[in-house]
Amino acid sequence: MTALGLQSPVAAMKGVGERLAERLTRLGIERVEDLLFHLPLRYQDRSRLHPLGGLRPQQEVLIQGQVLHAEVVVRRRRALLVRLGDQTGQITLRFFHFGSTQRNQLVTGQWVRAFGEARAGVVGLEMVHPEYRILAEPDGEPLEQTLTPVYPATEGVGQATLRRLIGLARAYGGLHDWLPVDRLPDTLRYGLAEAIELIHAPPVDADTAALLTGRHPAQRRLAFEELVAHQLGMARLRAEARTENAPPLPAPTADSLCARFVGALPFALTGAQQRVMDEIAADLSRAHPMLRLVQGDVGSGKTVVAVAACLQAVAGGYQAAMMAPTELLAEQHYRNAERWLAPLGVRVVWLSGRQRETQRSEVLAELADGRAAVTVGTHALFQEAVRFARLGLVVIDEQHRFGVHQRLALREKAADGGWVPHQLVMTATPIPRTLAMTAYADLDYSVIDELPPGREPVVTVAIPDTRRSEIVERINAAVGRGQQVYWVCTLIEESEALQCETAEATYALLTETLPAVAVGLVHGRLKAADKEAVMRAFQQGELDLLVATTVIEVGVDVPNASLMVIENAERLGLAQLHQLRGRVGRGTAASSCVLLYHPPLGETARRRLQVMRETGDGFEVARHDLEIRGPGELLGTRQTGLARLRVADMAQDADLIPAALQLAHALASVGSAASDALIRRWVAGGIRYAQV
Ligand code: ADP
Ligand code: MG
């Protein structure tokens, strides 16, 4: 029998039977070592007694006193009330579940020590169901010498069990430290065992405030290790993906489809577009799948980059599919692709969930027999019935709206052929690079960090909605210059119906106020064909003013639009404001954005509007957003596909990411012992993704 060690299954531990072991797996605990990395959510301080006279509500405290009075009362519910007193004051302990043992124990004169949260009750402070213990004499029991950890628990595995098992695991010794202190950032020079020990049993003189907020160097030491492990795991995932087969698509030559497409554009590519196109072209020419994220601020010209990639697939004899998050955006991509590619003899089709059945089955047939070279669509592309003859490339626009699972589903579409398609993911959600590399770390990363020449920055102003009339003048002026205007109606409620109603009311009002202006209306509840008709009219300049809901948030491209009015701007987040503002400033005319707000402004809203006024750079906006909201919201907490970390916090520990990336890189190149162990320790069960 091998000696019991940290790598042994927990079932080998004393007092851990099969049932408990089974339950522990629900917490991700399989081996003894996993217990050490089951870290406290928070701490309780049971190291000192709080005098009853000084308690405040919402304080979680250890108290001690003598029972002054105990009785069972029956009001709405039967309860045992125990009045406890010390020299400074009194408190009531309230129990709803109690037996005769408790009633017999808690009698007048008895010394009791209790731990719980003080709350404001009917008559002064009370504690509901505190943990308590009967004392033989007031000074008889010693106090805890460390802060008490509170662990993530699960049914059948409570705090007491976890504390006991983790205590046992801590006594094992032999924890291997894969990141010796000389490889750690200066401020985190903690040995692993030392950090683990401190986190599970912080001495009472430890920096409690730091511990409680996850900023203690010992915690950051673990966060750093987790970030390294996460990178290693992602790198491995990436390496595995690279071993799959994908069709090698020859890089474009001087007279290729791609070159003809680019040559026919009415503008020259920016340096950044050219560079990213080259990166993609090189990826596509390999026999293993590309997995690349292209990030570029709104208006940086991602669409042409994507279309060029599609043409490389088509020229190589494969199909390309391009997917957008909204109908509106998919329609726009379709129109662009059709306009650009039809002259080159490339067949473009359109697949939407709202298509008529006959049309749809025709499109499906074209996909299946390979006649359709480029397909543009919404998430309808994921559906079961969709089969491609030779899918070689999948382009996903505005990735933050799709999850990893959806990405994988589309990938499967070509699996029958013995290869997987290349994947190109595009996003305008400006995420700081290091954050993107952590969140989307299974992807390679390119950035279009340059806007087409001649773009003027969008002048942004914030105006209280009491001065609404001024805007009418601005609209008249813009339309007088032959330019177009968006008016976006927003509501905080996620109710699409309500948003549409507001948009309808605004539309009616503006039509009346601006008789000389051609006003259109688009919102989510219009039929697809009607929406398309309105958008087309706006795009072709037949409409001057487009009243819209946030359906136009991403991707919509009408370069002649130069004024954006956003109602209730104070209710939107920075990322959304930046996206909306990005609908203007796409041409060469000077553009402006009016943020209409309803006073008074709260502090956060005021800061957001100020950021919008002061900067037009998406990455700068994102940096502020990160400060104001934290990365969870920045990346969208509800979405799938983002890596979930245990200790590391992407905002608080963002400064550690570059060093973690570097170290991961070094470790990966050295060999796999450290990588294996770190991945196993931190990302066992594979890279975990947030669930919806
Ligand atoms: P986004 O990156 O936001 O998706 P688009 O691809 O919609 O941006 O491009 C924004 C606008 O800029 C479009 O009208 C597009 O035709 C135009 N555009 C793209 N690249 C260039 C360029 N190099 N020079 C001038 N205009 C460009
Ligand atoms: Mg776009």
Side-chain angles (χ1 to χ4, degrees):
M1 208 177 93
T2 52
L4 193 55
L6 286 173
Q7 302 308 322
S8 308
V10 277
M13 293 174 82
K14 209 171 131 227
V16 181
E18 226 168 85
R19 259 227 339 240
L20 181 53
E22 160 80 42
R23 285 173 177 165
L24 285 167
T25 60
R26 276 188 261 147
L27 295 170
I29 300 169
E30 288 170 5
R31 294 160 305 134
V32 180
E33 188 187 278
D34 296 335
L35 283 163
L36 297 181
F37 291 88
H38 193 65
L39 302 172
L41 287 171
R42 58 192 184 87
Y43 296 93
Q44 294 170 342
D45 186 353
R46 302 175 185 224
S47 66
R48 60 206 172 94
L49 291 169
H50 287 249
L52 297 179
L55 296 183
R56 285 185 308 277
Q58 261 103 55
Q59 257 185 322
E60 211 185 25
V61 287
L62 188 71
I63 55 170
Q64 181 172 311
Q66 241 174 333
V67 176
L68 305 175
H69 180 75
E71 63 174 336
V72 175
V73 295
V74 185
R75 298 234 172 80
R76 270 173 311 171
R77 271 172 90 184
R78 213 167 87 93
L80 171 62
L81 300 185
V82 179
R83 195 83 186 143
L84 211 61
D86 67 4
Q87 281 162 351
T88 65
Q90 300 183 5
I91 190 167
T92 304
L93 311 184
R94 183 183 290 270
F95 299 90
F96 293 111
H97 311 284
F98 55 92
S100 53
T101 330
Q102 261 168 322
R103 270 159 63 188
N104 296 336
Q105 277 179 335
L106 297 165
V107 290
T108 307
Q110 177 64 57
W111 281 95
V112 174
R113 185 177 287 178
F115 183 85
E117 190 189 316
R119 293 194 212 162
V122 193
V123 277
L125 289 179
E126 58 178 44
M127 266 185 196
V128 179
H129 276 283
E131 291 173 45
Y132 75 94
R133 152 188 319 203
I134 298 295
L135 301 179
E137 46 183 317
D139 303 324
E141 293 266 344
L143 295 164
E144 297 280 345
Q145 293 304 301
T146 62
L147 293 176
T148 308
V150 180
Y151 295 104
T154 183
E155 216 186 311
V157 189
Q159 296 301 326
T161 308
L162 286 166
R163 282 175 200 148
R164 184 174 62 81
L165 294 178
I166 290 168
L168 286 176
R170 275 162 47 209
Y172 271 61
L175 179 62
H176 195 94
D177 194 345
W178 294 100
L179 308 183
V181 287
D182 60 353
R183 311 206 72 158
L184 296 172
D186 285 345
T187 52
L188 307 179
R189 304 240 148 158
Y190 260 90
L192 178 62
E194 194 189 350
I196 289 276
E197 195 56 28
L198 189 137
I199 290 170
H200 286 295
V204 284
D205 63 352
D207 184 347
T208 320
L211 274 171
L212 292 174
T213 50
R215 288 172 202 268
H216 195 284
Q219 291 165 314
R220 301 238 307 154
R221 157 70 176 76
L222 292 192
F224 181 76
E225 181 168 324
E226 181 178 30
L227 288 169
V228 171
H230 178 73
Q231 270 316 311
L232 289 168
M234 287 295 203
R236 181 156 303 177
L237 212 61
R238 209 158 27 193
E240 275 162 19
R242 297 296 180 284
T243 64
E244 289 180 298
N245 296 321
L249 306 164
T253 53
D255 58 350
S256 62
L257 267 179
C258 243
R260 277 154 60 205
F261 158 66
V262 170
L265 288 172
F267 45 75
L269 297 176
T270 63
Q273 281 171 317
Q274 187 62 63
R275 174 173 45 77
V276 174
M277 271 189 201
D278 291 346
E279 285 168 2
I280 294 169
D283 282 357
L284 293 177
S285 68
R286 301 202 179 97
H288 302 293
M290 166 173 80
L291 285 164
R292 185 170 287 276
L293 174 71
V294 171
Q295 199 172 43
D297 207 348
V298 283
S300 60
K302 292 184 289 296
T303 316
V304 291
V305 172
V307 170
C310 291
L311 287 177
Q312 190 169 338
V314 174
Y318 286 83
Q319 294 168 295
M322 186 149 142
M323 191 172 58
T326 65
E327 293 265 331
L328 210 58
L329 193 49
E331 280 159 24
Q332 174 184 288
H333 280 333
Y334 170 66
R335 280 202 301 274
N336 279 332
E338 166 83 45
R339 179 162 53 89
W340 286 326
L341 304 187
L344 301 173
V346 175
R347 171 92 178 129
V348 182
V349 298
W350 153 246
L351 188 75
S352 139
R354 306 201 184 169
Q355 252 160 346
R356 269 184 293 116
E357 198 45 48
T358 46
Q359 209 179 355
R360 187 179 155 76
S361 47
E362 211 164 290
V363 172
L364 289 179
E366 282 200 45
L367 297 181
D369 66 17
R371 266 176 299 156
V374 176
T375 313
V376 183
T378 57
H379 52 271
L381 284 172
F382 295 129
Q383 282 155 9
E384 273 294 300
V386 183
R387 291 262 175 277
F388 292 86
R390 287 164 69 77
L391 185 60
L393 169 69
V394 173
V395 178
I396 299 181
D397 197 13
E398 302 301 349
Q399 139 84 15
H400 65 293
R401 310 234 155 177
F402 293 110
V404 127
H405 306 298
Q406 286 167 304
R407 240 173 56 209
L408 293 177
L410 200 49
R411 224 179 65 137
E412 299 302 312
K413 294 282 178 202
D416 299 351
W419 75 82
V420 297
H422 298 282
Q423 275 188 66
L424 178 61
V425 174
M426 301 195 296
T427 178
T429 305
I431 304 168
R433 183 187 169 85
T434 49
L435 189 54
M437 290 183 72
T438 303
Y440 299 119
D442 62 325
L443 303 171
D444 288 314
Y445 180 86
S446 301
V447 57
I448 307 184
D449 51 4
E450 184 183 354
L451 291 179
R455 297 272 173 87
E456 299 266 344
V458 179
V459 176
T460 304
V461 294
I463 296 182
D465 55 10
T466 46
R467 283 162 54 195
R468 194 178 279 261
S469 56
E470 287 174 29
I471 297 162
V472 170
E473 285 161 38
R474 278 173 181 264
I475 294 176
N476 271 322
V479 171
R481 289 192 300 268
Q483 294 162 359
Q484 290 167 284
V485 181
Y486 293 100
W487 183 298
V488 180
C489 302
T490 67
L491 279 178
I492 186 82
E493 294 84 23
E494 285 289 293
S495 155
E496 198 186 304
L498 224 52
Q499 248 196 38
C500 299
E501 270 172 42
T502 321
E504 270 161 14
T506 306
Y507 169 73
L509 188 74
L510 289 172
T511 313
E512 199 179 292
T513 327
L514 298 159
V517 171
V519 190
L521 170 67
V522 63
H523 59 60
R525 294 213 296 182
L526 292 182
K527 283 208 208 81
D530 295 342
K531 244 189 316 189
E532 197 184 342
V534 174
M535 285 312 294
R536 196 184 292 262
F538 189 65
Q539 202 135 39
Q540 291 172 352
E542 291 156 23
L543 293 171
D544 304 311
L545 169 60
L546 184 67
V547 177
T549 56
T550 47
V551 294
I552 62 151
E553 178 184 338
V554 287
V556 169
D557 182 46
V558 180
N560 190 47
S562 69
L563 173 60
M564 162 67 65
V565 181
I566 306 175
E567 273 200 274
N568 296 321
E570 79 279 7
R571 292 168 166 183
L572 300 184
L574 274 175
Q576 206 176 8
L577 287 171
H578 182 70
Q579 282 290 331
L580 283 168
R581 176 171 63 183
R583 300 308 112 217
V584 297
R586 305 186 140 240
T588 46
S591 299
S592 51
C593 174
V594 177
L595 305 172
L596 264 185
Y597 64 87
H598 189 69
L601 279 181
E603 175 55 23
T604 307
R606 197 191 53 73
R607 271 175 72 195
R608 280 199 297 250
L609 297 188
Q610 188 182 350
V611 170
M612 288 298 291
R613 288 208 314 267
E614 286 172 358
T615 179
D617 176 344
F619 289 89
E620 190 65 6
V621 169
R623 208 174 50 72
H624 287 285
D625 209 10
L626 195 60
E627 280 170 20
I628 298 175
R629 298 198 298 168
E633 287 183 74
L634 180 60
L635 295 166
T637 37
R638 277 170 304 167
Q639 68 184 347
T640 53
L642 291 179
R644 208 163 43 137
L645 299 170
R646 266 198 262 176
V647 226
D649 174 310
M650 285 197 217
Q652 199 160 291
D653 301 316
D655 59 314
L656 300 178
I657 295 176
L661 290 175
Q662 218 173 5
L663 183 52
H665 197 75
L667 288 174
S669 60
V670 168
S672 62
S675 301
D676 284 350
L678 286 168
I679 291 171
R680 183 150 185 226
R681 180 178 286 171
W682 289 100
V683 288
I687 302 292
R688 292 175 297 182
Y689 291 102
Q691 302 295 310
V692 209

